[in-house]
């Protein structure tokens, strides 16, 4: 590799990683727009959950076909990108397969063979994923909210992954044939079991010249590193951001029972005040006029907590939540996946507003009603199936509950049936409209 090539390589790496870390800073800033939440307790348990769910993919195999394919792609990309260290050194210093000088011949052969096998498994899995989405049209991957960009994004990622694996195998095939021909700068290094039965025989049959083979090898090498840099920076715009955020998302997940709803501290405070006979309800602190009135529930992303906003960025759009949602299955407008997607859309819109104005300028929009409708919120049965189904512990129910709390407690816009039920609970200590003295009549009827 020439001196000019080294400089170009360094510039590409610098620009690629610079843009990548810039995107991470924007994501961090946007998440920090949410309310503070304390999720740093039981650190040992949290590390265990992250290792099991995010790294170990423990919840993916509940749907065996998609789960196993996903694990193959996930493991394949981790293993294949171990070669990134070798590419970085080769690109910066003009060496060729530098790890071969650090590892024994047999171990380096094992290393390159493993990379080849996993590249083939990733390629096969990606093709099957593409068929499932676009030909078989699996129902949870063909719903209305996945039209347009959401569908295109998934296909773009599959095509990028496919092209990266093909470039890797083309590079190795050309390298292996150059080694076989004794070409300068291509000593016999590594083992290429997949390349030898795929592209290598084609190159031999075409009787490609050494110059052409070197060109193919270099194109494959450059495409592989530039493709990875492009993929890194594309993640910000893609649902595949979960590749990075699944780990903190699992770490900050709720440790309490998933169906346990959180109490609003402000409501708890009011109830304690009501129950305390010695409390003065009219007492006010000296700085009460400066204390902002706390809002019940959530109207916009600023009312959600930071873990909920992290959830929105981490959503994989796999649709497992919507597939088990009883409201969705019975034709209601609710889709837990759409709740997360719309929350992320609003968060991104707010972030762009801040980028443009230096700070958020009221745009007259809110998460509730402008992005998520009243009908969606009211359709939820709070069964918690969506949270249980999520492979990376996202909690759509918590956002739905906070939006619903705002509707009921701030706007008093609960349906008439709900108002009647709450009145009955207040007056009769039961959801039904009958006298408290008649509560045990059912027992007499049984006897």
């Amino acid at each position: 590799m020439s001196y000019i090539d080294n400089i170009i390589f360094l510039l590409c790496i610098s620009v690629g990683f610079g843009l990548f870390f810039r995107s991470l800073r924007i994501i961090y800033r946007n998440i920090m727009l949410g309310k503070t939440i304390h999720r740093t307790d039981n650190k040992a348990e949290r590390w265990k959950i992250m290792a099991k769910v995010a790294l170990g993919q423990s919840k993916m195999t509940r749907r065996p076909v998609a789960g196993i394919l996903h694990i193959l792609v996930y493991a394949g990309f981790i293993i294949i990108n171990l070669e990134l260290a070798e590419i970085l050194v080769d690109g910066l210093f003009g060496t060729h397969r530098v790890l071969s000088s650090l590892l024994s011949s047999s171990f380096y052969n094992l290393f390159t063979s493993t990379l080849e096998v996993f590249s083939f498994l990733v390629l096969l899995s990606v093709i099957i994923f593409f068929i499932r989405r676009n030909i078989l049209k699996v129902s949870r991957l063909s719903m209305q909210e996945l039209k347009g960009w959401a569908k295109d994004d998934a296909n773009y990622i599959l095509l990028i992954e496919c092209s990266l694996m093909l470039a890797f195998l083309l590079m190795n095939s050309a390298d292996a044939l150059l080694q076989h021909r004794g070409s300068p700068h291509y000593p016999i290094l590594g083992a290429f079991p997949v390349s030898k039965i795929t592209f290598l025989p084609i190159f031999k049959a075409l009787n490609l010249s050494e110059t052409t083979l070197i060109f193919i090898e270099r194109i494959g090498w450059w495409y592989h590193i530039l493709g990875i840099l492009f993929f890194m920076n594309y993640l910000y715009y893609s649902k595949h951001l979960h590749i990075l955020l699944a780990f903190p998302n699992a770490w900050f997940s709720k440790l309490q029972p998933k169906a346990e709803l959180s109490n609003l501290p402000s409501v708890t405070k009011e109830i304690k005040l009501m129950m305390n006979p010695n409390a003065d309800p009219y007492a006010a602190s000296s700085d009460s006029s400066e204390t902002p009135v706390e809002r019940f529930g959530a109207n916009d992303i600023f009312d959600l907590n930071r873990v909920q906003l992290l959830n929105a960025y981490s959503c994989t759009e796999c649709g497992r939540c919507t597939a088990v949602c009883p409201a969705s299955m019975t034709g209601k407008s609710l889709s837990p996946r759409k709740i997360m997607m719309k929350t992320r859309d609003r968060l991104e819109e707010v972030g762009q507003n801040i980028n443009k104005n230096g700070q958020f300028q009221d745009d007259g929009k809110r998460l509730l009603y402008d992005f998520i409708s009243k009908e969606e919120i009211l359709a939820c049965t709070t069964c918690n199936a969506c949270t249980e189904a999520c492979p990376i512990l996202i909690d759509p129910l918590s956002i739905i509950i906070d939006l619903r709390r705002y509707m009921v407690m701030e706007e008093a816009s609960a349906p008439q049936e709900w108002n009647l039920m709450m009145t009955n609970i207040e007056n009769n200590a039961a959801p039904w409209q009958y006298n408290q003295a008649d509560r045990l009549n059912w027992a007499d009827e049984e006897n």
Side-chain angles (χ1 to χ4, degrees), residues 209-243:
S209 67
E210 180 176 308
T211 302
T212 303
L213 288 173
I214 292 175
F215 178 78
I216 294 173
E217 191 273 337
R218 289 290 85 193
I219 288 294
W221 188 92
W222 276 101
Y223 186 89
H224 193 67
I225 183 61
L226 293 178
I228 290 173
L229 294 175
F230 174 81
F231 183 80
M232 283 171 45
N233 286 283
Y234 179 75
L235 290 179
Y236 174 77
Y237 307 95
S238 169
K239 74 187 184 71
H240 282 71
L241 195 58
H242 73 272
I243 292 173

Side-chain angles (χ1 to χ4, degrees), residues 38-51 250-257:
H38 301 290
R39 290 278 180 91
T40 56
D41 58 322
N42 299 315
K43 290 184 174 60
E45 180 67 16
R46 293 187 180 281
W47 285 113
K48 180 180 177 181
I49 290 173
M50 187 183 78
W251 200 90
F252 287 109
S253 63
K254 182 179 177 182
L255 297 184
Q256 293 81 8

Side-chain angles (χ1 to χ4, degrees), residues 142 284 346 365 436:
S142 305
R346 174 57 180 165
K365 295 182 181 179
Q436 292 195 45

